[in-house]
Amino acid sequence: MKPLVSTVLSVLLALPASPQSAPARPLPLTVDSIMRGPGLYGYPPRAVRWSGNGQKVYFEWKLYSDPLDKDYDTYVVNRDGSGLAKLSEDDVKLAPPASGSESRDKKLVVYSDHGDLFLYDRSTDKGRQLTKTSDAESSPRFTRDARKVAFQRSGNLYTLSLSDGLLEQLTDIRPAGAAPAAPAAAGPRRGAQGEASDEETKKGTDSQEALKKEERGLLDIVDRRAKKREETEARRKKDNPRKPMNLGPRQTAANILLAPDETYAVVTVTERAADAKTTVVPNYVTEGGYTEDIPSRTNVGDTPNRTRIAIVKVATGEVTWLDHGQKLPADDKAKPPVKESERPVTLLNPRWSEDGTKLALAGRSGDNKDRWIFAADTATGKLKPLFHLHDDAWVDGPGSFQLGWLPDNHTLYFQAEVTGWSHLYTVDWAGGEPRALTSGNWGVESVELSKDESRFGLVTSEVSVHERDFYWMPVAGGPKTRITSQPGDYDVTVSPDEQMLAVVHSYTNRPPDLYLMENKPGAAMTRVTTSPAPEFSAFPWLDVPIVKVPARDGVGVPARLYQPKNWKKGGPAVVFVHGAGYLQNVHRWWSSYSREYMFHHLLMERGFLVIDVDYRGSAGYGRDWRTGIYRHMGGKDLDDQVDAARYIVKEYGVDPKRIGLYGGSYGGFITLMALFTQPDVFAAGAALRPVTDWAHYNHGYTSNILNLPQKDLEAYKQSSPIYHAAGLKGALLICHGMVDTNVHFQDTVRLVQKLIELRKENWEVAMFPVEDHGFLQPTSWADEYKRILRLFETNLKK
């Protein structure tokens, strides 16, 4: 189990010796220095797992001094934190896997690596290879008795016996246009020694069939050949009675899930829309010297892919489609029937009970406003709603796709924002009212069953919206036991005996490292790794205070405040706008915006006060906060930035004429909206990889918030900066990677043309030819942030 847990030590732990220990030297607080990124603050340990006997912990790690493109190494450490060592390539092959599917008794793990299957035995702490083929094997799972492994290969489901190596194909799924299955060796062949030809065996019209019958009665040789063919076909059907599942054009099958009792397989079929148009991202810097095209995505409002789910009876190949699905064309007879009155519904996350007798799955409406938990009748394909949640904005929140079974094979657990906060619920597969296991004005971030399935491991914000803590709770609900006790962040891996925890821990000013601790409330931690460079650890990084900005609608907006030690009233300020839309950055753990965190120290040294706001739409504050931007991005979320600017003017004496802002992705979008619609509040801004027109962004994210452009054009116009560019007064810097496959460089190109047509002059663009949405090269990071620093120093200082 690897839940994400928030906690931190109240005092700095002593740093043990580590492979990269070196004398600390002063850190020059320059853009070039801090934009080394993990070359300065280190790489977090990852893929943490215990040995089968629980005596050792394995994990992947890179040293801060390693080259950027170097692969992670695998390390091992004893249960008590001693004996840290890096494994050789040969030893890595024998190490327990980082992920995989467990047998019911937790003794075996099966996993896929580079397209082949492997088996790890926890009782012997050894592994072995199961397949070595040119085909890719994936998604392995044990059958209920753990005697076989089910897996996918070439679009079909197979099982492999662990005792005798017997390989059995369980489905016969054929893509559109695939040739018919080859006949048995003794069966008819085209024109072979007088045997039946394809033309003779093919069923024809009534007149053609009458002629065949006449020929059989007239000529003995024809009758004997026909009888031989019929006998061969009957024998073939007896030996292999499974019917093929023929896919239609543009359809693919994936996520084939075998029932534990091996009677049924659930097949997810995706159909690509016939009229979908994908964008192309040109790649100018290539090995061959020619510009190459990178295929990308469709835009919001384009016909999305359709996803349906079928139940296939393994013994016969009989297909039953689940009938609560998308609205489909009436003339497509190959697809399951649906009622025209139904809205399109995507079915997902099929889950078999452990005994294989029950199937449950989730559903989400195409307009994003409803979600369901369904019980499926495997015989008829009928779906019975067990839970339904409607949201006039859109359904989402932490754990919105969570669905699992309790060990009684009758009770399902899931998360939902019924009360406005994500909480844990159970419901009986037979029906009845869902039961809340947690409640309150706080959220459950993640849920996972313990190894013995007697309790839940919960990550929640019960203590504070700025903290994440780990609890144990009985599966029936009741009192929770809080294991972590102080703010920060933990990624927890429980030992096989559940007596120990391996945790990757961080705090506001301390990057993630690996620790070991007992599975007890408030237990002490033993540090295993030291990831940052010594010069990073020696620098006095700020434990950034959290403040509440009074918003115009009366709520308190959380923010981080970076105030220079020698701050004097009348100085300049910068507002930082985090990206990703639904993301939290005001918290007590190491930020995913680590370079920006360090850059804010540089700005403080240059005399800037910095404020970083968790505006409306950010994660961590419940449903109302999440949906505060519905139908108007650049509305309440931008109001929160403006209110933050007014707050620092009032409370800290910032010069109201010398406030700038910057951010990337969604933060770049807000920066543009601020400069275009609030030009008297912000004097300068840097928009990094910004969305300039939401009609050009992807469907999954944008349709949640703004609906569809063809149905709600007003929402798109009021939310897209390109429609407001005439309002630009302050200095604008735009930075964008040219091979950005998320927010396309086209967004910036179109805005540039608009600014040219508007005869605006106080803007500039920096292009980064080899960078995608998230930059990788330290030189690109440094170039970008030198430009940002120059923008602020030029336009915000007297």
Side-chain angles (χ1 to χ4, degrees), residues 28-282:
L29 200 59
T30 65
V31 171
D32 283 312
S33 178
I34 62 180
M35 290 303 151
R36 287 179 287 167
L40 176 62
Y41 55 74
Y43 296 89
R46 68 183 193 187
V48 179
R49 65 270 195 193
W50 289 85
S51 62
N53 59 14
Q55 296 305 305
K56 296 180 182 295
V57 175
Y58 295 82
F59 61 97
E60 295 176 5
W61 192 33
K62 278 179 66 170
L63 306 184
Y64 72 86
S65 54
D66 285 338
L68 179 67
D69 56 357
K70 181 183 181 298
D71 291 335
Y72 276 68
D73 293 307
T74 300
Y75 286 78
V76 65
V77 66
N78 293 325
R79 182 184 177 103
D80 62 1
S82 66
L84 177 65
K86 183 170 71 173
L87 299 185
S88 67
E89 290 186 8
D90 290 338
D91 289 336
V92 170
K93 297 176 182 178
L94 302 176
S99 61
S101 177
E102 294 181 327
S103 58
R104 289 181 67 193
D105 60 9
K106 314 296 184 184
K107 293 180 179 179
L108 300 176
V109 180
V110 63
Y111 61 101
S112 177
D113 185 29
H114 293 88
D116 287 315
L117 302 183
F118 294 80
L119 181 72
Y120 173 73
D121 189 332
R122 285 179 170 153
S123 62
T124 62
D125 207 16
K126 293 181 180 179
R128 63 184 175 99
Q129 190 163 356
L130 298 179
T131 65
K132 191 174 184 180
T133 67
S134 57
D135 288 329
E137 289 93 25
S138 63
S139 305
R141 298 173 184 269
F142 287 102
T143 56
R144 186 168 54 181
D145 58 11
R147 294 180 179 180
K148 291 182 285 186
V149 170
F151 63 93
Q152 293 178 47
R153 175 197 286 172
S154 301
N156 273 290
L157 185 67
Y158 294 78
T159 56
L160 178 67
S161 172
L162 296 178
S163 59
D164 58 17
L166 176 65
L167 181 67
E168 182 180 0
Q169 183 173 339
L170 301 187
T171 61
D172 185 8
I173 303 171
R174 303 178 188 178
R189 301 190 304 271
R190 182 183 298 273
Q193 298 295 322
E195 292 182 358
S197 66
D198 287 351
E199 191 64 30
E200 289 173 311
T201 60
K202 184 169 61 177
K203 185 174 178 62
T205 63
D206 290 345
S207 63
Q208 292 165 353
E209 289 301 306
L211 185 60
K212 283 183 183 181
K213 184 177 181 180
E214 182 181 352
E215 286 294 286
R216 287 187 67 171
L218 181 65
L219 300 174
D220 182 62
I221 183 63
V222 173
D223 186 51
R224 284 190 285 114
R225 284 165 50 186
K227 287 179 178 178
K228 182 178 180 181
R229 172 179 56 80
E230 290 167 353
E231 291 171 358
T232 301
E233 181 66 13
R235 186 166 58 249
R236 185 189 69 79
K237 289 183 176 180
K238 181 179 179 181
D239 293 339
N240 183 18
R242 185 179 297 121
K243 298 177 183 178
M245 179 180 179
N246 296 303
L247 301 178
R250 306 181 308 280
Q251 291 181 340
T252 56
N255 301 326
I256 309 173
L257 183 64
L258 181 65
D261 63 3
E262 304 176 57
T263 55
Y264 293 98
V266 175
V267 182
T268 301
V269 176
T270 300
E271 180 179 341
R272 181 173 48 84
D275 56 353
K277 185 175 183 179
T278 57
T279 54
V280 173
V281 176

Side-chain angles (χ1 to χ4, degrees), residues 614-655:
D614 265 352
Y615 50 87
R616 242 62 71 94
S618 297
Y621 307 99
R623 179 265 173 197
D624 291 347
W625 203 269
R626 171 177 64 80
T627 61
I629 57 174
Y630 179 59
R631 295 194 68 244
H632 193 185
M633 292 190 275
K636 288 184 178 180
D637 45 2
L638 177 55
D639 288 345
D640 290 341
Q641 315 297 333
V642 173
D643 290 343
R646 292 171 177 167
Y647 168 76
I648 56 178
V649 168
K650 179 180 178 181
E651 298 297 328
Y652 298 93
V654 168
D655 186 340

Side-chain angles (χ1 to χ4, degrees), residues 332-574:
D332 194 338
K333 297 179 181 178
K335 297 173 183 174
V338 296
K339 298 177 182 178
E340 285 299 313
S341 61
E342 290 179 346
R343 284 180 299 160
V345 173
T346 297
L347 302 176
L348 63 159
N349 286 4
R351 296 286 186 267
W352 289 103
S353 60
E354 195 172 78
D355 62 7
T357 63
K358 301 176 184 68
L359 175 66
L361 63 162
R364 181 183 169 99
S365 63
D367 62 5
N368 311 308
K369 300 182 187 303
D370 292 88
R371 60 171 286 205
W372 296 266
I373 304 296
F374 292 113
D377 185 325
T378 54
T380 65
K382 298 291 184 181
L383 298 180
K384 179 177 66 175
L386 302 176
F387 168 79
H388 172 235
L389 180 65
H390 174 82
D391 195 310
D392 287 340
W394 75 96
V395 289
D396 206 344
S400 59
F401 296 105
Q402 174 73 260
L403 182 62
W405 288 92
L406 293 185
D408 63 4
N409 291 304
H410 221 272
T411 306
L412 290 153
Y413 66 89
F414 61 96
Q415 288 176 246
E417 286 184 333
V418 176
T419 64
W421 291 88
S422 180
H423 282 290
L424 179 62
Y425 294 82
T426 58
V427 66
D428 194 288
W429 189 82
E433 286 297 317
R435 176 172 174 253
L437 300 187
T438 62
S439 62
N441 292 328
W442 47 271
V444 174
E445 295 295 317
S446 66
V447 179
E448 195 162 346
L449 276 175
S450 62
K451 295 182 185 302
D452 64 3
E453 299 182 320
S454 67
R455 53 184 178 170
F456 288 112
L458 305 178
V459 179
T460 84
S461 60
E462 184 171 359
V463 172
S464 168
V465 291
H466 308 298
E467 301 177 23
R468 299 291 181 266
D469 287 292
F470 178 58
Y471 296 80
W472 289 111
M473 184 182 74
V475 293
K480 300 185 300 295
T481 301
R482 183 182 174 193
I483 302 300
T484 58
S485 57
Q486 300 180 51
D489 172 69
Y490 272 67
D491 186 2
V492 175
T493 306
V494 184
S495 65
D497 61 7
E498 296 195 343
Q499 299 300 307
M500 292 289 294
L501 305 177
V503 296
V504 177
H505 163 266
S506 73
Y507 185 60
T508 307
N509 55 3
R510 289 198 298 278
D513 269 307
L514 178 63
Y515 299 80
L516 297 173
M517 63 180 290
E518 290 186 88
N519 186 13
K520 296 179 180 179
M525 299 194 304
T526 300
R527 189 168 189 168
V528 175
T529 64
T530 303
S531 296
E535 57 186 311
F536 175 91
S537 299
F539 191 87
W541 300 105
L542 182 65
D543 184 358
V544 191
I546 294 175
V547 299
K548 286 291 184 69
V549 173
R552 64 193 66 186
D553 59 358
V555 305
V557 180
R560 283 180 165 185
L561 186 72
Y562 299 78
Q563 183 179 353
K565 290 182 179 179
N566 57 348
W567 172 253
K568 295 180 180 179
K569 290 185 177 181
V574 170

Side-chain angles (χ1 to χ4, degrees), residues 32 35 768 770-771 775-785:
D32 283 312
M35 290 303 151
F768 298 84
V770 302
E771 297 294 356
F775 285 13
L776 292 178
Q777 302 303 317
T779 50
S780 299
W781 281 104
D783 183 274
E784 181 179 52
Y785 275 76

